[in-house]
Amino acid sequence: MSTMKVCVLFRPLNSKELSEFGDAVSVQGINSESFIVKDEKEQEFDFTFDRVFYQGSEQADIYEFLALPIVQGALDAINGTIITYGQTGAGKTYSMEGPSIVDCESKKKGLLRRVVDGLFEAITNSEKPSKYTIKLSMVEIYMEKVRDLFDLSKDNIQIKESKVHGIVLNGATEVAISNSAEALQSLSSGIANRAVGETQMNMSSSRSHCLYIFTVHQDLTKDKSRTKFGKLILVDLAGSEKVEKTGAEGKILEEAKTINQSLTALGKVINAMTSSTPGKPTHIPYRDSKLTRILQDALGGCSQTALLCCCSPSPSNSSESLSTLRFGARAKHVKASVHVSCKEDLDNTKDATVYTYVDESRERILAKLRERMTDDDVLLLEKLFVLEGIFFDPNSIDEIDAAYEDVTSRTISSLHKAVEELSTGVEKMKMENVALKASLKVSEEFYQHQLERRSLCFIL
């Protein structure tokens, strides 16, 4: 078992911070792994991570420490995920893309371009008798919908789960890339379609979470019946925001609320994963947001995962930086148990038994529709339901398993909610019982007092 690799990057001060606070910073470096941060009240907090990149750090150093081992793992069929996290304007997108994905000097290249170059360089230098194929997908999570950035007509992609491939974005465009130039051209067109907007914190603020997904297929020449594959995902998260700082309003405000809700869901998942008691299973709320659902493999332990926490060193952003650092410190305790992904060639499974499953409720719905519509219309509608995830394909074992897990998860969530409501009800009844007893006691005392008065009057 290993833990998530967590690093911290303190970007240089920007012009607004320099004009307001000069060159003052709230960070005091101790070494390459530890530092001290002061909050707005000058209280000091110590932090230690796998690596700290201070102002002036090279992009190449971040790639070599954080991403290079994950790139090498993807070629060995080990899934990997690299996530940038932090407040808006903290340097996440710059760290991921650099000043430009296509045209920028070598020294300033971001993680994304270095990963592309690293993948093809590793394949070129590989001595393994294998044939590699790389496919690229690019999506964004905008207002809780998964949008295909290579095909904007696909604006509500469904999230599925497969025993072989894990979490899958059903129908997302996959572009085959054979060299770095092709990959950068595709990435450039996808980035141009990403949702951005201007706030007081950032001239071009990301209004969505963006995922770059590289799938590396390795055909083993010695054993043609097997294929190894590694999935490498880079995640540029939208930044958390404080409305009073960003000046968000209207559409930008609604985007900010959705971003903050999904980041809160991510925090709840991390908290649930690191707060479990040994021997006592804990419900992990992956399905609370599209972001956590897609990152289920990365957070759930079957992927090499690295987190880059991007922070501002300015005293004006100390509270946001502390929030980011506390999230990173928590994530550092997430355990992972990675494994090689491999599947048998489908041509060799033709004789395998095909299992079918009939969903009775589905058949009842379709029967009702047939009473009012033609068979062709019902068939078309059924296909649409399958594509939209309303029905699942009855001939797909993976879909059946995913549906079963979905029902199980929802049942567990419902049980948790029922237990919480029951506990709340019990506490409420206890309080009402105490209040009732107190009221009865007052009534008894009043009644006793009245009896004593009447007895006294009778005597007199």
Side-chain angles (χ1 to χ4, degrees), residues 328-346:
R330 192 84 179 186
K332 188 74 184 72
H333 297 288
V334 173
K335 303 293 182 182
S337 180
V338 299
H339 61 273
V340 173
S341 301
C342 183
K343 71 182 181 69
E344 299 292 330
D345 189 345
L346 294 177

Side-chain angles (χ1 to χ4, degrees), residues 159-177:
I159 305 169
K160 304 291 184 179
E161 189 167 4
S162 163
K163 274 189 174 180
V164 176
H165 296 282
I167 298 298
V168 176
L169 297 176
N170 190 37
T173 303
E174 283 192 313
V175 178
I177 51 176

Side-chain angles (χ1 to χ4, degrees), residues 344-360:
E344 299 292 330
D345 189 345
L346 294 177
D347 291 338
N348 293 335
T349 60
K350 289 180 179 178
D351 298 328
T353 303
V354 178
Y355 296 91
T356 60
Y357 178 82
V358 179
D359 183 354
E360 294 181 1

Side-chain angles (χ1 to χ4, degrees), residues 189-255:
S189 65
I191 289 170
N193 290 328
R194 189 177 177 186
V196 295
E198 182 179 346
T199 71
Q200 293 177 12
M201 294 286 291
N202 197 346
M203 289 293 292
S204 182
S205 174
S206 300
R207 313 311 297 165
S208 66
H209 308 300
C210 188
L211 290 85
Y212 313 88
I213 306 167
F214 298 86
T215 306
V216 183
H217 291 268
Q218 181 184 163
D219 295 324
L220 305 177
T221 55
K222 290 184 179 180
D223 187 357
K224 295 183 179 181
S225 66
R226 302 177 71 215
T227 299
K228 295 169 69 177
F229 58 90
K231 188 164 59 176
L232 196 164
I233 305 176
L234 285 82
V235 185
D236 180 17
L237 295 178
S240 57
E241 299 182 7
K242 284 187 175 180
V243 176
E244 62 269 22
K245 280 195 172 185
T246 61
E249 56 184 19
K251 181 182 177 183
I252 299 292
L253 178 59
E254 292 305 311
E255 291 170 345

